[in-house]
Amino acid sequence: MRIGYLGLGNMGQPMAGKLLDTGHELWVHDISEDAMRPLLERQARRAASPKELADTCDTVIVALPTLEIFRHVLSGPSGLLAGKALKTLVNTCTVGGRFIREVETQCAATDVTVIDAPISGGVGGARAGTLAIMASGDPARVADLMPVFQSWGKTIVVAGDSPGAAQTMKLANNMLCAVALVATSEAMTMSGKAGIPHDAMLEILNNGTGRNFATMHIFPDAVLPGTFDFGATIEILMKDVDLAIAQGEELGVPMWVSQAVRLVLKHGVFQGRAQQDMSRVVEIIEDGTRK
């Protein structure tokens, strides 16, 4: 299958690489030459613009960090929707139901079908090919894309027949990840202040009822070694929490705990931590402790 890939960041680059691993013809575009270089060295083809990508490939996968960038690459004379070949747009971003409906409306005007396929598992999962994929949209197109999804991971769940269902599923997942990260940061800071070694605390958490993604992966892999390199920024995590709260409120759900987590993340942003790795959330808690 000839596939275009737009956005080769921490997640997009290894996911695009998996498509090469499984024999797909890959065309790529990113504003960063460094991001494209490893794929070009593996015989991926370069597109000079989103339009050129959509002129060449009938299927384009999008992996972008913000809604504003997504809007920018979609429209205009050099945007994806100006391309002549594009038939299917696959969104892997966490953008929320309202935004993906906006994208679907724009794409429908040029007979482009949107398949919503956000992913979960972090940079490590993208590199290992162990991501979880949530898909929603036209069932026939989703079925056609299964080989693509299978190159990213074995867990593929179809959320519904319309774009947006997968976004709700992804936002629920990311909301729980953010809540667990903040709560684990508080628990680890509290136990550390009491003199309990961090590795001992993690051992009991991971063999008890407090086990979660932060205790199993973020703390042992990025916090305790001091690398703070999980792969996503605090700003991106806060964006996802903002979207989750908006989605919940749109559905009439009180989002009390998520609101509290957002306050913690916003405090970190006000401290100048927006572009820091999300594993540094623990430092927001540590900075707030009474000396």
Side-chain angles (χ1 to χ4, degrees), residues 91 95-105 114 116 163-164 167:
N91 167 58
V95 296
R98 184 178 301 173
F99 183 82
I100 203 66
R101 289 192 294 272
E102 174 189 323
V103 171
E104 186 182 21
T105 298
V114 175
D116 203 14
Q167 286 299 314

Side-chain angles (χ1 to χ4, degrees), residues 6-240:
L6 178 59
L8 302 170
N10 289 336
M11 295 295 291
Q13 187 183 99
M15 289 170 67
K18 293 299 179 186
L19 298 178
L20 286 174
D21 292 344
T22 49
H24 296 285
E25 179 185 342
L26 184 67
W27 288 68
V28 297
H29 177 73
D30 194 280
I31 60 172
S32 168
E33 182 69 24
D34 289 342
M36 289 191 289
R37 185 173 296 113
L39 298 166
L40 297 174
E41 290 173 350
R42 296 184 56 198
Q43 307 307 310
R45 305 286 296 277
R46 180 202 310 269
S49 67
K51 179 183 182 298
E52 184 174 330
L53 204 62
D55 274 334
T56 308
C57 305
D58 63 6
T59 300
V60 173
I61 299 166
V62 177
L64 297 167
T66 70
L67 277 61
E68 290 74 19
I69 294 174
F70 201 141
R71 285 192 180 98
H72 176 72
V73 302
L74 197 62
S75 304
S78 62
L80 287 172
L81 295 183
K84 298 175 181 178
L86 182 63
K87 295 299 180 186
T88 304
L89 180 69
V90 182
N91 167 58
T92 67
C93 317
T94 306
V95 296
R98 184 178 301 173
F99 183 82
I100 203 66
R101 289 192 294 272
E102 174 189 323
V103 171
E104 186 182 21
T105 298
Q106 283 185 269
C107 288
T110 54
D111 294 322
V112 173
T113 299
V114 175
I115 299 298
D116 203 14
I119 44 84
S120 182
V123 176
R127 291 171 178 161
T130 57
L131 294 172
I133 299 94
M134 296 146 271
S136 63
D138 178 78
R141 297 287 178 94
V142 170
D144 290 341
L145 288 163
M146 279 297 171
V148 171
F149 300 151
Q150 289 164 353
S151 73
W152 297 336
K154 294 181 179 179
T155 302
I156 304 163
V157 178
V158 178
D161 293 347
S162 300
Q167 286 299 314
T168 300
M169 187 178 280
K170 178 64 190 299
L171 290 174
N173 176 84
N174 285 21
M175 175 184 69
L176 285 172
C177 178
V179 169
L181 175 57
V182 172
T184 300
S185 296
E186 291 183 349
M188 293 296 289
T189 302
M190 179 182 71
S191 61
K193 291 278 283 185
I196 299 171
H198 290 320
D199 56 352
M201 192 67 228
L202 277 184
E203 183 176 3
I204 196 62
L205 289 174
N206 284 330
N207 288 280
T209 56
R211 182 174 61 249
N212 62 68
F213 188 81
T215 65
M216 294 178 68
H217 298 286
I218 298 177
F219 269 76
D221 296 345
V223 177
L224 266 58
T227 56
F228 297 104
D229 59 352
F230 177 72
T233 65
I234 289 174
E235 182 177 53
I236 291 294
L237 185 63
M238 192 178 78
K239 179 264 293 183
D240 292 352

